[in-house]
Structures are given as C-alpha cells and as structure tokens.
Amino acid sequence: ALDALLGHRVDAVVTRLPFPTDGLHVIILYDEPRVLAMSVDHRLAGREFVTLDDIADEPMPRVRDSDTLWSAFWRIDPRPDGRRAPDGPFIDALEDKFELIASGQAVAVVPDLRVNTLRPDIITVPLRGVEPCHVVLATRAGDRSRLVAAFRKLAEAHLTGSPF
C-alpha cells in the first residue's frame, strides 16, 4: 500500500505503524492494543491477560525477507530484557500464520480487532506491558491537493477506532 502511495497510484493510506515515513505526512488516528493469538487449547488460552514473561519461550512465526522494523515490532524482538523472540516456522501468507497458530505450533502478536476469535480454533488474549500499535493516515509529504487535505480532516474526525 505504501508503494502505491509513493508511486502516486493512491493519495492516502490508512495502515498501522511501524514503517519508514520518509517522504510521508503521517497522522496517528488512534491506537489499538496488541493481543496474543493462540490456539483455543493453548495453555494460556483461559487467561484474562498475558505478559511477555508468559510467552518468553513461545515460538513466533517469521516472514521471509520481511521488513525488519515491522517484524521486530510485531514479534517484540528484542524483548525489553534484551532476549530475542523465539523463532517459529517461516510463513509465506497470512493463512499460513493462522494455520500455525490454530495447530499450536506458534503464537502471534496481532492488533486487537475487537473480535475475540479470528477463527473458531483461534482465540486472542490481551497482551499487557507492551505499547499499542498506531493506526495512521499516510499521505505524501508536501501534497497540496484540496481533496487530500479534506480527507485528512475527515479521517481525523471520523476514523477514531470506535465502532460507533
């Protein structure tokens, strides 16, 4: 999506940080808590919340040739104590990630999408002690279009993360 923005194929993108912001005008619209996605029969599935200590040894999926900034943020790698996030299997598609989680081979940190089950065999539990992810509006820096300016104002007013 950011390639489309920088390539002038779209004028605005609503997405999540982190990503390189050079050449972009970025407005934080709202924050989303991060949660841990796991199989419904995972040892932590019944918890009210989990912490990084709870998942210290849990393997997390990896993406080949991924953006290291994005990957480090979502894997929380390195951890605050300096340890590396445990490596799980490589995935090539989002569906692969869900299969690994559902089968109990890995857990993953994901945004709280306000639905507790992504699939009937996957559950999410709040992850405490980590910063939320920022949902942002990105436009090209220096874009003077009146339509883009109007969209920025509308996005700031209405894209608040609230379901209402």
Side-chain angles (χ1 to χ4, degrees):
L2 293 174
D3 289 341
L5 178 62
L6 293 171
H8 294 260
R9 293 188 307 277
V10 299
D11 292 321
V13 174
V14 175
T15 189
R16 291 179 182 90
L17 285 175
F19 54 82
T21 59
D22 296 343
L24 299 175
H25 179 254
V26 177
I27 301 167
I28 296 174
L29 298 172
Y30 59 92
D31 290 341
E32 283 179 328
R34 290 188 280 174
V35 298
L36 187 71
M38 67 194 87
S39 67
V40 294
D41 57 357
H42 190 279
R43 66 182 177 82
L44 299 172
R47 297 270 187 99
E48 183 180 335
F49 65 89
V50 294
T51 67
L52 288 176
D53 287 339
D54 294 325
I55 62 169
D57 298 319
E58 295 287 339
M60 304 190 100
R62 296 177 287 162
V63 179
R64 286 178 181 78
D65 304 321
S66 69
D67 176 339
T68 55
L69 183 64
W70 179 265
S71 180
F73 179 79
W74 288 104
R75 289 171 40 86
I76 310 172
D77 188 24
R79 302 291 165 84
D81 64 5
R83 288 188 297 166
R84 301 300 309 235
D87 287 338
F90 281 106
I91 59 169
D92 295 314
L94 189 58
E95 295 80 16
D96 298 341
K97 181 178 189 174
F98 293 137
E99 289 302 319
L100 286 172
I101 294 168
S103 70
Q105 296 178 61
V107 298
V109 177
V110 298
D112 184 0
L113 303 173
R114 295 192 175 88
V115 287
N116 199 33
T117 55
L118 304 172
R119 298 175 13 163
D121 49 359
I122 295 176
I123 191 166
T124 60
V125 174
L127 181 57
R128 287 227 178 126
V130 299
E131 65 192 60
C133 63
H134 302 298
V135 176
V136 300
L137 170 65
T139 56
R140 287 180 297 280
D143 190 326
R144 302 286 177 237
S145 163
R146 290 185 309 172
L147 286 175
V148 170
F151 185 78
R152 281 184 191 135
K153 285 183 182 179
L154 287 169
E156 285 183 279
H158 298 288
L159 297 180
T160 63
S162 170
F164 306 103

